[in-house]
Amino acid sequence: MNWKDYNIPFNKPYQTGREASLIQEVYAQGKLSGNGAFTQRCQNFLENIIGSKKCLLTQSGTTALELMALLLDIKEGDEVILPSYTFVSTANAFALRGAKLVFVDTKKRVPVLDENIVEARIGPKTKAIIAVHYAGVACNMKALGNIARDNNIYLLEDAAQALGSFYYEKPLGSFGGLAAFSFHETKNISAGEGGCLMINDPRLVERAEILWEKGTDRAAFFRGEKTKYQWQDLGSSFLPSEITAAFLWGQLEDYETIQQGRRQAWDYYDNHLPDLLDIYQKPYVPKGTNHNGHGYYLFFKNKYDREDLRGYLGKRGILALAHYEPLHQSPYYLANFPAISLRRTEKFADCLLRLPLYNSISKEEQSRVIDAIGNWSNLQIKKLKSIQLP
Ligand SMILES: *Cc1c(COP(=O)(O)O)cnc(C)c1O
């Protein structure tokens, strides 16, 4: 399925127009491998935005999460607490190291970890809580931070969707000891494939750089701090090439404009769509969460209506999408762990519908989506009324 098959696709990767010439610059300088000038520029920029001690660019959000698990020495039998309503990489990165996944249900109206039921799931083997900020909307970081501190475990952030979001005044990605971001083409800021790890815990900075560079101290050697570099630790090649970093820099140069465009499109839907409580609710944004407009969705009362509207929009050339299949119901999980049920998570899987949202979507395109939803809703309301009549 290609986005070009729809009049209004779900996503269109955005380009500022500078990316190609920046890649030319890399080529002219002749340093194409990783950890060059563009990588440094991107990392400094991102450290400033988040207020982090250290940022390391990675080849994806997925590998940033893998670096996170490696850095924390997660091993067989360790437990991590995370939502089931998330992208596979949140879980996979820790499962790769042998961790036991402890899935916790979402809040009732927001598809993020319910902070009220987290503490009951902490045991002697629990190493970390992984907060995933769905659609850039923050988890309750105050409550989760307190729970992690009181139990002496790590609070981590999968902030893949949350660059530019805040919890009260503080940027997401600055709360966890470690936080992962993604620059996949579907995210607000993109490099095609790309990501980064924020290392907020100063104790982990030095080692993070070693694991990032194949377990060697090559980064320190490049800075002239060492006369040679050697194998120091376990690691892998997490760094992207300068080609990717140059593309990313092209986006970061227009950071404010890109983020504002996305948020404006989000607000346009929210200001023009009604809440139809018998049929669907608009996204609920909890107090203190200032989000980056990453995703807009309707949350239906039942999955039949969700599917009906999805089909209705599809026939009109508008691509709307459901989201995660819960990880606790995935073939891999069921083959390796006992079955569990998470009622709210399953409800979000059945009843959430994401609307097309991207930086370059026009008000006319959004109005067509809004009008189509309005027309469909009127038909639904008529049906509901005819059922209620004696
Ligand atoms: C996109 C995403 C990832 C993975 O990022 P990639 O860059 O695609 O590897 C991980 N977690 C969440 C919540 C995501 O949305």
Side-chain angles (χ1 to χ4, degrees):
M1 191 167 57
N2 192 302
W3 62 265
K4 291 185 170 144
D5 298 339
Y6 287 83
N7 299 327
I8 304 182
F10 178 70
N11 178 55
K12 268 190 208 176
Y14 180 72
Q15 285 194 29
T16 66
R18 289 264 298 143
E19 294 88 346
S21 64
L22 290 166
I23 289 171
Q24 279 292 335
E25 232 177 86
V26 172
Y27 199 74
Q29 283 165 9
K31 157 85 178 156
L32 280 82
S33 61
N35 200 10
F38 280 108
T39 298
Q40 288 300 328
R41 252 190 242 175
C42 292
Q43 290 180 171
N44 291 342
F45 183 94
L46 292 161
E47 283 161 10
N48 280 331
I49 285 189
I50 304 301
S52 177
K53 302 257 169 331
K54 181 75 187 167
C55 169
L56 292 171
L57 290 195
T58 57
Q59 292 173 9
S60 63
T62 301
T63 53
L65 289 161
E66 287 174 16
L67 177 54
M68 185 186 269
L70 194 59
L71 196 48
L72 293 181
D73 288 320
I74 297 293
K75 56 186 185 315
E76 193 79 35
D78 287 346
E79 294 182 7
V80 291
I81 292 175
L82 74 170
S84 168
Y85 197 76
T86 181
F87 192 62
V88 58
S89 300
T90 320
N92 186 69
F94 291 84
L96 261 181
R97 313 234 70 79
K100 184 180 160 208
L101 306 174
V102 178
F103 288 128
V104 167
D105 213 350
T106 65
K107 293 158 88 76
K108 193 157 179 232
R109 290 170 67 193
V110 197
V112 300
L113 273 187
D114 181 352
E115 68 278 3
N116 298 309
I117 52 177
V118 163
E119 195 152 25
R121 305 302 302 280
I122 294 176
K125 291 182 172 166
T126 309
K127 284 280 144 49
I129 301 167
I130 310 164
V132 183
H133 309 297
Y134 183 79
V137 174
C139 301
N140 185 331
M141 297 314 284
K142 183 159 188 273
L144 292 177
N146 288 340
I147 294 168
R149 194 199 52 220
D150 294 349
N151 292 277
N152 198 23
I153 58 178
Y154 263 103
L155 176 61
L156 307 172
E157 292 177 84
D158 179 341
Q161 304 175 10
L163 184 65
S165 292
F166 294 80
Y167 180 71
Y168 290 91
E169 306 298 308
K170 206 163 147 25
L172 296 187
S174 69
F175 289 87
L178 299 166
F181 287 98
S182 167
F183 305 118
H184 185 263
E185 74 170 26
T186 51
K187 305 301 200 277
N188 291 25
I189 302 284
S190 140
E193 299 278 357
C196 70
L197 185 70
M198 292 293 163
I199 301 105
N200 299 318
D201 182 338
R203 295 169 297 177
L204 298 173
V205 169
E206 195 181 334
R207 186 156 170 256
E209 199 180 60
I210 288 171
L211 308 201
W212 182 65
E213 264 280 25
K214 299 98 183 162
T216 75
D217 46 4
R218 181 152 79 171
F221 168 70
F222 276 160
R223 283 193 299 267
E225 294 163 18
K226 304 263 163 100
T227 54
K228 60 186 177 185
Y229 72 90
Q230 288 176 298
W231 187 15
Q232 303 284 358
D233 203 330
L234 292 180
S236 190
S237 184
F238 288 103
L239 60 173
S241 83
E242 278 288 286
I243 299 170
T244 297
F247 189 103
L248 180 61
W249 181 248
Q251 301 255 308
L252 294 178
E253 278 186 331
D254 275 2
Y255 179 81
E256 289 298 336
T257 319
I258 295 175
Q259 295 286 33
Q260 275 169 19
R262 190 98 170 198
R263 178 61 201 246
Q264 275 163 13
W266 195 101
D267 288 340
Y268 193 79
Y269 276 137
D270 210 53
N271 293 334
H272 291 85
L273 282 165
D275 251 330
L276 293 178
L277 297 184
D278 286 338
I279 306 175
Y280 67 73
Q281 282 182 297
K282 299 194 289 184
Y284 177 68
V285 179
K287 188 165 172 278
T289 64
N290 181 359
H291 66 87
N292 62 0
H294 176 66
Y296 197 87
Y297 62 84
L298 303 177
F299 185 35
F300 285 78
K301 271 190 110 167
N302 68 65
K303 73 169 166 187
Y304 308 103
D305 284 348
R306 194 270 305 265
E307 283 307 298
D308 204 64
L309 177 59
R310 176 154 73 149
Y312 184 93
L313 294 174
K315 281 194 200 123
R316 284 151 186 82
I318 298 165
L319 182 56
L321 297 173
H323 212 178
Y324 302 125
E325 289 296 312
L327 294 176
H328 72 279
Q329 295 177 323
S330 64
Y332 180 80
Y333 184 81
L334 290 174
N336 292 282
F337 299 94
I340 56 168
S341 104
L342 298 167
R343 210 168 38 82
R344 292 173 178 172
T345 297
E346 290 156 25
K347 172 103 184 164
F348 277 111
D350 284 344
C351 298
L352 182 147
L353 186 69
R354 295 178 294 158
L355 303 183
L357 187 72
Y358 39 89
N359 189 277
S360 61
I361 195 168
S362 66
K363 292 208 166 45
E364 290 69 33
E365 288 169 317
Q366 287 194 281
S367 298
R368 274 167 52 205
V369 178
I370 292 161
D371 290 347
I373 294 170
N375 293 338
W376 175 86
S377 304
N378 289 337
L379 294 174
Q380 286 308 104
I381 290 164
K382 264 193 207 144
K383 264 196 239 166
L384 280 178
K385 282 197 179 132
S386 69
I387 293 166
Q388 280 158 7
L389 287 176

